Amino acid sequence: MNKSPATLTLEKRREQLQPHIVQVSPNVWVSVAEDVSNVAMIRGKDGLVLVDTGMIPDRAAVTLEAFRNIAPLDRYPIKAIIYTHGHGDHTGGSPVFCAEGSKPEIWARDNFGAEVLPFERAGLMPLFKARGGKQGGFLLPPEKRICNGISPVRYPRAGGAVFSGKTGAVLPDHFFSDDVTLEIAGLKLHLFATPGETDDALSVWFPEERVLFCGDDLYRSFPNVYPVRGTGNRDIPAWCSSLKRLESLDADVLVPGHTDPFTGKDHVKEVLTNYREALEYVFDKTIEGMNAGKTPDELAREVRLPEHLSSLDYLEEAYGNVSWTVRNIFNSLVGWFDGNPLHLAEGNSPEREALHMAALAGGEEALFRQAQNALALKDAIWAARLADHLLALKPRQKEYLTLKADALEILAEEMLTATGRNYTFSVAQELRSRAEKTATNPEGPVASA
Ligand SMILES: [Zn+2]
């Protein structure tokens, strides 16, 4: 089978996501792609400051060893760790760095972990974790994952610090709200709030060597405004203001939370400007379309980045996705109602619609044949749609479950955005195992997807 363009792009990215240490200035090194997130080391007069810690302790240990070859422990104890935000892929490696015993100060924003709070308060962590696991592809075999767009394929240990920066991580003990200047190990570092991918995001400015650490407010992909595991609003205007503030610093080096650093003052500025323009463009076009009465379905198809932005490798939709962003802008601002009064009517249901579709097709069997034809013609979206109708009629029918799984696997292969690809493959895998169970125990209960 020929590989899809999406598969080839992700394979190319996998090549770039080989673990390596890069020195970006006289006293700053970054461990890229060893772990899910980058870990940066700033060497001071008599100690180190780390920016983020990665997610997986075993990987943190590899990074620490590499850092110790550059800056030996007896001269350079870790004096501070800074969490750019509260995601577990940036905090989970912390126990390894803290195990050296130097009792580092751990810095974060005072709303650390804000993104997960609504889920916790609502008692929604089971859903958050289930969807997060699918988005991460943690139940998929490695050959189905390639890379996560901006990070290499890694599997957390069971119960690992994945979903909330508070699980399994050493918790921050130093907080600030807007900005603060740290003077530590002979270094002067400015920390300031840059709400973007998350509300609790911060950036770190090391003026002496003109290095800027921006966490996940920028990495080599279109920004992840909507992770498919689910999230509330990721505030694009606030994100753009943060990017503007980063631009104004005229940094020589920009160290993102994932993927390789950017170097050269002009290049850094250009990257920050283009990134902001991409976000602004999608936001403005969506608002314009909403005011013109367009629905999320229409806008998700219509709003695309202009060529001069979409052709940039750091705006490829390998991790964030433009059409999901459009939908989230709509939803965050006006909620679920798309403006079509049909969707206010309460008489419809998936079963009712499926009965009508089957009648239109000439019966359930004819509907199944249509779905099979669509699959044979590689119209996977239509095949999956018809499979949904068939499953609304018979949720445990093995052939229907398998058909949907087949269609989803074709869709996943064609999907560039790695989180959606992982999610789609994961559901296909679930449907197959449900089909298997149905075959061995047709009277058993319906397993939940
Ligand atoms: Zn991250």
Side-chain angles (χ1 to χ4, degrees):
M1 193 171 74
N2 283 342
K3 289 176 179 175
S4 70
T7 300
L8 292 170
T9 300
L10 289 174
E11 285 183 351
K12 194 171 132 216
R13 280 183 170 251
R14 178 175 57 192
E15 294 315 306
Q16 292 159 354
L17 289 164
Q18 301 302 320
H20 56 287
I21 304 276
V22 48
Q23 183 176 10
V24 299
S25 72
N27 286 294
V28 178
W29 290 261
V30 188
S31 171
V32 180
E34 178 61 48
D35 202 336
V36 178
S37 88
N38 290 344
V39 183
M41 170 175 81
I42 311 170
R43 187 178 61 187
K45 195 163 48 62
D46 57 357
L48 304 178
V49 174
L50 302 184
V51 181
D52 289 333
T53 64
M55 176 172 88
I56 300 165
D58 291 350
R59 298 285 171 172
V62 175
T63 289
L64 181 58
E65 199 187 327
F67 283 172
R68 283 302 173 212
N69 286 333
I70 299 163
L73 173 61
D74 54 347
R75 286 183 58 199
Y76 301 103
I78 300 171
K79 298 225 164 158
I81 294 174
I82 302 165
Y83 293 147
T84 58
H85 60 294
H87 279 163
D89 55 326
H90 297 253
T91 62
S94 54
V96 170
F97 298 102
C98 292
E100 286 189 332
S102 60
K103 293 205 166 37
E105 296 178 0
I106 303 196
W107 282 85
R109 291 274 312 287
D110 57 3
N111 59 347
F112 178 76
E115 195 187 42
V116 184
L117 258 187
F119 288 89
E120 285 175 346
R121 282 201 192 116
L124 259 180
M125 287 312 278
L127 172 132
F128 190 70
K129 285 181 182 174
R131 288 175 53 148
K134 288 190 182 113
Q135 162 182 312
F138 298 142
L139 297 173
L140 293 174
E143 66 271 16
K144 284 262 195 280
R145 291 185 59 193
I146 310 180
C147 74
N148 262 19
I150 55 165
S151 59
V153 168
R154 299 284 179 260
Y155 290 88
R157 281 195 294 224
V162 183
F163 305 108
S164 155
K166 296 176 187 172
T167 322
V170 181
L171 291 180
D173 50 14
H174 287 67
F175 300 93
F176 71 98
S177 172
D178 297 323
D179 52 74
V180 69
T181 300
L182 302 192
E183 296 200 32
I184 197 159
L187 298 162
K188 199 179 234 189
L189 301 171
H190 298 300
L191 278 54
F192 53 102
T194 46
E197 198 200 79
T198 56
D199 278 342
D200 66 355
L202 65 85
S203 295
V204 181
W205 174 227
F206 178 30
E208 204 178 312
E209 299 189 1
R210 307 203 67 74
V211 183
L212 178 59
F213 305 83
C214 64
D216 282 1
D217 280 357
L218 189 153
Y219 32 62
R220 290 171 190 264
S221 163
F222 183 80
N224 196 19
V225 179
Y226 183 74
V228 287
R229 65 155 151 73
T231 189
N233 188 21
R234 287 185 170 179
D235 188 338
I236 292 179
W239 197 333
C240 291
S241 301
S242 297
L243 290 168
K244 242 186 182 149
R245 187 164 178 197
L246 298 176
E247 273 168 63
S248 73
L249 291 168
D250 283 329
D252 286 342
V253 181
L254 180 66
V255 179
H258 302 259
T259 65
D260 273 312
F262 298 87
T263 53
K265 190 169 144 182
D266 293 343
H267 184 53
V268 166
K269 202 174 194 67
E270 180 187 293
V271 168
L272 282 162
T273 308
N274 285 332
Y275 214 73
R276 175 173 52 79
E277 277 182 10
L279 274 171
E280 280 171 353
Y281 181 89
V282 172
F283 188 79
D284 292 348
K285 284 285 159 199
T286 304
I287 299 300
E288 194 182 301
M290 287 169 72
N291 280 326
K294 291 184 177 168
T295 66
D297 284 344
E298 289 169 327
L299 290 168
R301 274 198 72 80
E302 271 177 39
V303 179
R304 312 300 326 150
L305 286 181
E307 167 72 18
H308 75 279
L309 295 174
S310 66
S311 57
L312 299 167
D313 68 327
Y314 54 86
L315 283 168
E316 266 175 355
E317 295 172 71
Y319 189 57
N321 179 292
V322 172
S323 59
W324 309 341
T325 299
V326 170
R327 289 182 186 282
N328 209 45
I329 294 167
F330 191 106
N331 230 355
S332 299
L333 291 168
V334 301
W336 64 267
F337 179 46
D338 64 359
N340 180 352
L342 172 60
H343 298 150
L344 299 175
E346 293 176 12
N348 209 3
S349 71
E351 293 83 350
R352 185 179 181 279
E353 192 142 320
L355 281 169
H356 280 293
M357 286 299 287
L360 263 179
E364 190 178 317
E365 248 178 59
L367 184 62
F368 181 47
R369 275 200 304 278
Q370 291 274 355
Q372 286 176 308
N373 283 344
L375 195 64
L377 294 169
K378 296 269 182 268
D379 187 350
I381 288 187
W382 188 234
R385 177 70 88 199
L386 296 183
D388 278 347
H389 290 309
L390 291 161
L391 286 166
L393 298 172
K394 295 208 176 102
R396 288 186 299 182
Q397 187 80 17
K398 186 181 179 191
E399 292 76 15
Y400 300 169
L401 292 164
T402 307
L403 180 87
K404 174 91 187 273
D406 290 345
L408 289 184
E409 283 184 351
I410 293 173
L411 291 177
E413 286 287 345
E414 291 167 355
M415 206 176 284
L416 173 60
T417 311
T419 51
R421 187 179 169 109
N422 286 337
Y423 200 101
T424 307
F425 270 132
S426 299
V427 172
Q429 185 170 278
E430 251 178 24
L431 290 167
R432 285 201 198 288
S433 88
R434 209 198 294 177
E436 206 55 43
K437 279 183 200 138
T438 304
T440 50
N441 181 20
E443 301 307 313
V446 180
S448 66

